[in-house]
Amino acid sequence: MAAGLRLFSILILCVHITDTHAKLRFASSYGDHMVLQKSPAKAMLWGYAPEGTQINISLSGPPQQEATAVADGEGMWRVSLEPVEAGGPYSVTAASHNETVTLTDVLFGDVWLCGGQSNMAFPTSRIFNASEELKLAADFPHVRLFMVALTHSETQQTDLMAVALPWSVPTAENLSRFSAVCWLFGRYLHKSLKYPIGLVESCYGGTPVEAWSSSRVLQQCGLEHSTGTWPPASTSSLWNAMIHPLLRTVIKGAIWYQGESNAFHNKDKYNCSFPAMIDDWRMAFHQASGGQTEDDFPFGFVQLCTFTKYSKDLSYPEIRWHQTADFGFAPNQRMRKTFMAVALDLPDESSPYETIHPRDKQDVAHRLMLGARSVAYNEVDVTFRGPFPQAITPSAAEVVVSYDQALSVTLSRNTFEICCSKMPQSCETSSSWVEVPIKQWNATKVVLHPVVCPPSEEVTGLRYAWRDWPCDFKACPVYSASSTLPAPPFISQRYEADGITWQEDVN
């Protein structure tokens, strides 16, 4: 699987950056055609010049702005602009007594960072209906693209080591190798918001969350620092090279598609490492941007799709659960201001890029976009979460599952399972998980088929879609009635406090 996950590392031609501070320049994450974060935030500009050099910054308008910075002892200068409303184009000029550097065709809008491993890196040229999607590139000139090159480092880098795609207006050519999920998410957002969107792709196939995390996260979650046999997967190596250099970039939010590598590596600590990484990124971006990136910026993620059909291994359902900090949904008490796109109902058995790389990225991006509209943009009338149980009522005859929203239910493959055990014995030590079919349902409840536990046991556990590949394409049993969003997987045990209420049968 590792070879398949590293498939995309050989596809990107990197533009290497000469790290010379002897001349005036912007940092490598800036360029013509870029998007800077709009008001109410103050966009930050920074770069290099000889120590002590005074830099005069100007923004052509209207409105026009001017500011001054001085290169410090490390040859770096930085300045924050006054807030600028969405729009453009602008020119941004940095000038010293003998040098001038100008960025042209600069827009102001919302900047989103797209991170993760190969399913986030999966290029637009490989998705379903790719040719039609690539033809649309010219219709969205205000959705701008930037791609960080595949690099790694044992130490934190101030500037990017290399750039794979400098800031660009989308074309069929450059979009063909750009992240499909990132592009589609940005395109859908732009159609909703009607102003510029900047997309920064920073992802690397086959990598675990530890590689994207600072030493602070590793320490918090009790993860050992290791170099590993493949450097990009080493702890903090991608944080150092592909995230840390972006911290001064003022961003609106981030989306994330990763976890496959952690299904078989430090899986049981992902419920700590992933939420801790989100918290740490938020803190680091906020501090490095002078407080202009929000310290709780919205963070969306994709709950993993599928890998192996008919597999009895529980690594995928367990990592999906840990992606939510074991709550089963997002946002939650541990992962505030997050949103999740459930993808377990989008398998691609015939994918030529291995089943771990499904080609339907349109639905993934659309579900992320719904979450962003609700969580990041506070649209109150947008449903972005599928149904989740509020209460479970077991009896000797049936099990009633009460959901938090109206349902659309179909009788498909059995995806509910119960556990019979002696109370209060944990189902984790029981092999008594058995499938139970749906008996009937109404607007908000699913009634499972009559259940008969041994005389000395009772129903003590219920789980849903707790398999690597729980259903065929868009054919899981439970969806939301209003938005056809799939119900996420869950596991609940009667004598454990997991957020779902177990109540006695009132009949």
Side-chain angles (χ1 to χ4, degrees), residues 257-329:
Y257 197 158
Q258 188 276 334
E260 297 92 341
S261 289
N262 284 101
F264 308 98
H265 174 72
N266 288 334
K267 175 190 62 182
D268 293 337
K269 292 193 174 182
Y270 200 84
N271 55 0
C272 176
S273 57
F274 181 44
M277 187 204 78
I278 296 173
D279 291 344
D280 190 68
W281 280 24
R282 286 170 166 169
M283 178 274 295
F285 272 91
H286 180 70
Q287 290 186 356
S289 67
Q292 294 309 303
T293 296
E294 295 292 336
D295 60 3
D296 61 347
F297 66 77
F299 194 105
F301 63 97
V302 182
Q303 192 180 49
L304 295 190
C305 190
T306 56
F307 181 29
T308 306
K309 197 170 187 179
Y310 307 121
S311 172
K312 294 183 179 179
D313 185 272
L314 297 181
S315 296
Y316 259 54
E318 289 172 356
I319 197 68
R320 290 186 189 116
W321 187 247
H322 294 331
Q323 285 184 284
T324 69
D326 298 351
F327 281 83
F329 56 87

Side-chain angles (χ1 to χ4, degrees), residues 8 24 108 122-123 140 160 165 169 229 271 284 324 329 362 374 409-410 417 423 457 477 492:
F8 305 108
L24 172 65
F108 283 80
F122 197 85
F140 295 91
L160 292 172
L165 178 69
V169 178
T229 57
N271 55 0
T324 69
F329 56 87
Q362 288 90 340
S374 178
V409 179
T410 57
E417 296 172 284
M423 65 174 191
E457 298 181 355
S492 182

Side-chain angles (χ1 to χ4, degrees), residues 236 315 447:
S236 302
S315 296
V447 180

Side-chain angles (χ1 to χ4, degrees), residues 69-121:
V70 177
D72 62 18
E74 297 180 350
M76 293 177 54
W77 58 266
R78 63 184 65 85
V79 67
S80 292
L81 299 173
E82 291 302 311
V84 178
E85 294 183 1
Y90 295 86
S91 292
V92 180
T93 300
S96 65
H97 65 283
N98 61 356
E99 292 181 287
T100 299
V101 182
T102 299
L103 307 179
T104 61
D105 188 30
V106 174
L107 304 178
F108 283 80
D110 282 342
V111 180
W112 283 84
L113 173 62
C114 306
Q117 56 182 109
S118 58
N119 267 309
M120 182 61 82

